[in-house]
Amino acid sequence: MPKLWNETIEEHRRAVRDTVLETTAELVAEQGLRGVTMSRIAERSGIGRATLYKYFPDVESIMAAWHERQIAGHLDELADLRGRSDTPGARLAAVLERYAFIQQQRHGHGAELSALLHRGGHAAHAEQHLRHFVRGLLAEGVQAGEVRDDVTPDELTGYCLHALAGAGELPSKAAVRRLVAVTLTGLRPQG
Amino acid sequence: MPKLWNETIEEHRRAVRDTVLETTAELVAEQGLRGVTMSRIAERSGIGRATLYKYFPDVESIMAAWHERQIAGHLDELADLRGRSDTPGARLAAVLERYAFIQQQRHGHGAELSALLHRGGHAAHAEQHLRHFVRGLLAEGVQAGEVRDDVTPDELTGYCLHALAGAGELPSKAAVRRLVAVTLTGLRPQG
């Protein structure tokens, strides 16, 4: 069955958009934020400048869209991990480890880019989503007696996310795993 | 014995400088960074504008000097606490709790002011000093068998400082104390 015309257009639009996001992220990684212009993005993406402006008004909005897609991807990945472990404790450990690795990769961005990316409302929304997700895992852990119950899951969420943000300055995967182990020790039930 | 002329001048300069720093910090707390000008600082401090400019070229440099003094005060306070506890474990707990309370107070600054204050090299220097100090306490704790030895004191320092940065979003002293307790649990020797 041939595709409907609307679907084809929609697919084409999504493909252009994806290409622009990937290309811009590549250029920013290579040259830093200041070195990237709409003209260079158009050139590298192989689309016309006029077409590019139909999709995005400026470099900042492209980076915001890219960041939004990255975050959504990370959240999906964490949700997926959740489904793959048996016990609440194993789930929590798998999700927090993955989160820590994401923090480690993210650090490559640099301070200027991080500040830009976090200006948009989407980042705040994603953080809320993440907190809610981790809080749920911690509450399950408390129910199962695998996480301490003398501190609320909400406060434990803040502890976990802040402690694991430290992964950003760690040089190796082994060091990130040690950080996750130390952080998990802090969550253990207190006798 | 009468004071030497140079000492008197030096004291006078320090007093003017201190007044300017205090006044500026007050004004920024009241009105936000954008609302504060050199003229208002001169007026509120009770010194002439021309005199003010002999001490500082702009509001940013006053805030940087104020921040530098704040940080030095905090580091002195932490060093002082260190001398007042008997065991390495008690020392570590006292210092980390104080550090967490400082993080909680600092949070009032707001993101814009924090970004400005951390632009100066003095903040990076103070952070190194702090890390060195906490690492020393942790190494003592390891020696005394009160802190885990399966992770280096350096990595544990990163864990502590990131975890306790979470105090910035906590609403009460009790919540900060719980965060410190959870963080200290993470440091315990592993059997």
Side-chain angles (χ1 to χ4, degrees), chain B residues 25 34 95 143:
Chain B
R34 283 174 209 280
V95 167
Q143 287 283 325

Side-chain angles (χ1 to χ4, degrees), chain B residues 145-167:
Chain B
E146 295 182 290
V147 170
R148 68 196 299 162
D149 61 1
D150 57 339
V151 177
T152 63
D154 193 53
E155 286 183 9
L156 291 178
T157 301
Y159 157 76
C160 287
L161 298 184
H162 277 93
L164 297 176

Side-chain angles (χ1 to χ4, degrees), chain A residues 8-177:
Chain A
T8 314
I9 298 227
E10 202 37 64
E11 259 176 34
H12 172 74
R13 283 208 181 116
R14 206 174 307 129
V16 172
R17 207 180 130 88
D18 284 352
T19 304
V20 169
L21 298 188
E22 297 302 335
T23 305
T24 308
E26 268 171 40
L27 283 169
V28 169
E30 284 167 27
Q31 300 167 13
L33 195 55
R34 283 174 208 280
V36 179
T37 61
M38 292 295 270
S39 300
R40 300 191 77 140
I41 293 167
E43 195 188 331
R44 174 84 75 102
S45 309
I47 61 173
R49 249 177 115 251
T51 306
L52 177 58
Y53 277 105
K54 283 189 195 142
Y55 285 80
F56 296 101
D58 50 33
V59 179
E60 283 70 21
S61 63
I62 301 177
M63 287 308 293
W66 173 82
H67 189 225
E68 204 170 338
R69 206 185 59 172
Q70 289 282 103
I71 291 180
H74 291 326
L75 289 172
D76 283 352
E77 214 181 327
L78 294 178
D80 185 50
L81 271 177
R82 178 183 192 159
R84 280 200 259 149
S85 305
D86 288 336
T87 66
R91 244 171 260 159
L92 187 64
V95 167
L96 293 186
E97 183 178 279
R98 190 70 208 113
Y99 176 73
F101 283 131
I102 293 169
Q103 293 301 304
Q104 191 186 27
Q105 289 158 16
R106 256 188 50 175
H107 198 66
H109 283 167
E112 186 196 27
L113 185 54
S114 290
L116 168 75
L117 293 178
H118 286 86
R119 220 182 288 154
H122 64 279
H125 181 79
E127 203 195 305
Q128 269 190 315
H129 187 111
L130 175 70
R131 285 193 74 111
H132 180 81
F133 178 69
V134 172
R135 190 164 52 231
L137 291 175
L138 285 162
E140 280 174 31
V142 172
Q143 287 283 326
E146 296 182 289
V147 169
R148 65 195 302 161
D149 62 1
D150 58 338
V151 178
T152 63
D154 193 53
E155 286 183 9
L156 291 178
T157 301
Y159 157 77
C160 287
L161 298 185
H162 277 94
L164 296 176
E169 59 193 41
L170 293 177
S172 69
K173 288 206 156 198
V176 171
R177 286 202 187 90

